[in-house]
Amino acid sequence: MVDGGDLFGRRNKNDQHQTRFLCECTGDFGYDGIGLGEADLNYGLPFLMEMIEKYSLPFTSANVVNRESGELILPEYLVVEKNGIKFGLVSVLGPNHKIITMTDTDSGLDVKDPVATLRDVLPRMRKEVDTIVLLGHLGEGDTDTVIREVKGIDICIMGHTHRTLKNERIVEDSIFLAAPHEGRYVGRADIFIEESDGKVMAVDVNLVSLDDAVEHEPDMLARVEGYKASFEDFKLAKRAAFPRDLGSEKEKYLGGRACKSCHEDTWAAYAESGHNQAFTTIRKKGQTNEPECILCHTTGYRYKNGYAEERPYNHLVNVQCEACHGYGTEHSRDGKWLAQAQDACVTCHDQENSPEFDYAVYWEKIKH
Ligand code: HEC
Ligand code: HEC
Ligand code: HEC
Ligand code: HEC
């Protein structure tokens, strides 16, 4: 049982929490080999190592090295014996799939050229094994190139593409297989191998859809339900760090569109500003579920009746008029609202997130 990599989730804390559970279960499934995808480094190398150790995950990679020491971060290849055949499992990562970790600006890792790597490692593996399986985390086009340039790969499991190959494909002498993402399918290949030289003679490929027709395993179902409850607790704890304890239950945010009808010109200026796309900014980063980002990229997150994921409060995305001026239901014309708005800037434009903030300079850019 093998995997082509990108087992881990996206770069946010909710996904990281779920990834722990996924790793725990994957460990229990008893995989023989898992190729390294760039997503598996989303939470940094120490987290990957912790998961590998804790759940005995058989990750392998032949071309990702520590930049300083030049040493591989994972076993170069794995040898697995099944029915008297020795399989060598080797994985390479495509250098153009950038490793970006959630915490560091630089992963400190280098990705070596896949072709050169395989040309070096395959002859050594050949001495030990009958059949060579590449867990190629390269994407479709590059897998093709690598297989053509490197001779001697018997079977290639394609990672990273998220695309299904319903039938096997033959490139040169190699057989190419893929099953799509998120464990929606399990690919099964019955492989007929010539015992004398380990060459693949025939392959019968089958994709099993893990849909509702597949019965639940009661133990696993109980674990998933248990996990879901703990995940809810996790999210509540994160939110609790940003309590909704400001403002008043009696007041309401009306939303910027409610202001538009009377303040057309102001609206026009606002619509062009970065404030009107602050939520898009964190969406692009996959961080829309993180209180520690929502706080300043929405309207009234810590205020009663402010932004929340549920309707109608989910309309309060972005830094809208009322994020600076206050509850629309408190509309005033005595200058109080202007002073309040001036004071609001630094609650978000703080030292950490806006080190260059200068009221006069910044106001000039968004004045209305
Ligand atoms: C509720 C939080 C919040 C408040 C209050 C706030 N800002 Fe911002 N501001 C942001 C965020 C978030 C961004 C980044 C927007 C993005 O995603 O591009 C930003 C970006 C900006 C920018 C750069 C984008 C552009 O359109 O040029 C300026 C200038 C700016 N703010 C000025 C101000 C001034 C002046 C005030 C006070 C009158 C203020 N902000 C109040 C959160 C806030
Ligand atoms: C304390 C308020 C605050 C928090 C919390 C905050 N931001 Fe921001 N963010 C800002 C402000 C203010 C700016 C605009 C900075 C400037 O232009 O000076 C900004 C700008 C940005 C930008 C650059 C936008 C652009 O295109 O110029 C990104 C990206 C961003 N924030 C993402 C995040 C993420 C992700 C998080 C959560 C991890 C986060 N922010 C948490 C206030 C905040
Ligand atoms: C980033 C914070 C911020 C946002 C967002 C914002 N304003 Fe303002 N607004 C201010 C500040 C600060 C002033 C006062 C500037 C001054 O006169 O010193 C102001 C002034 C005004 C004024 C008075 C203008 C005048 O010349 O008398 C009106 C009206 C107004 N805002 C309406 C709006 C409306 C409507 C929106 C949404 C479409 C909006 N504002 C969004 C910060 C903001
Ligand atoms: C029904 C029309 C109407 C709506 C809706 C409306 N306003 Fe006003 N607003 C006014 C009028 C009229 C004034 C006074 C205009 C003036 O003095 O130039 C005013 C003044 C203001 C001022 C300046 C206050 C001061 O002390 O000088 C701000 C800020 C402001 N509005 C913000 C908003 C915001 C934010 C919203 C949306 C939540 C909003 N308005 C919705 C009609 C409206």
Side-chain angles (χ1 to χ4, degrees), residues 273-275 278 281 296-297 319 324 341 344-345 348-349 362-363 365-366:
S273 73
H275 288 139
T281 297
C296 303
H297 287 252
V319 178
C324 295
C345 313
C348 301
H349 287 265
Y362 272 60
W363 171 251
K365 293 192 204 170
I366 60 150

Side-chain angles (χ1 to χ4, degrees), residues 281-282 285 287 292-293 296-297 347-350 353-354 362:
T281 297
I282 56 167
K285 300 253 166 214
Q287 306 287 320
E292 65 177 37
C293 306
C296 303
H297 287 252
T347 58
C348 301
H349 287 265
D350 60 6
N353 293 281
S354 188
Y362 272 60

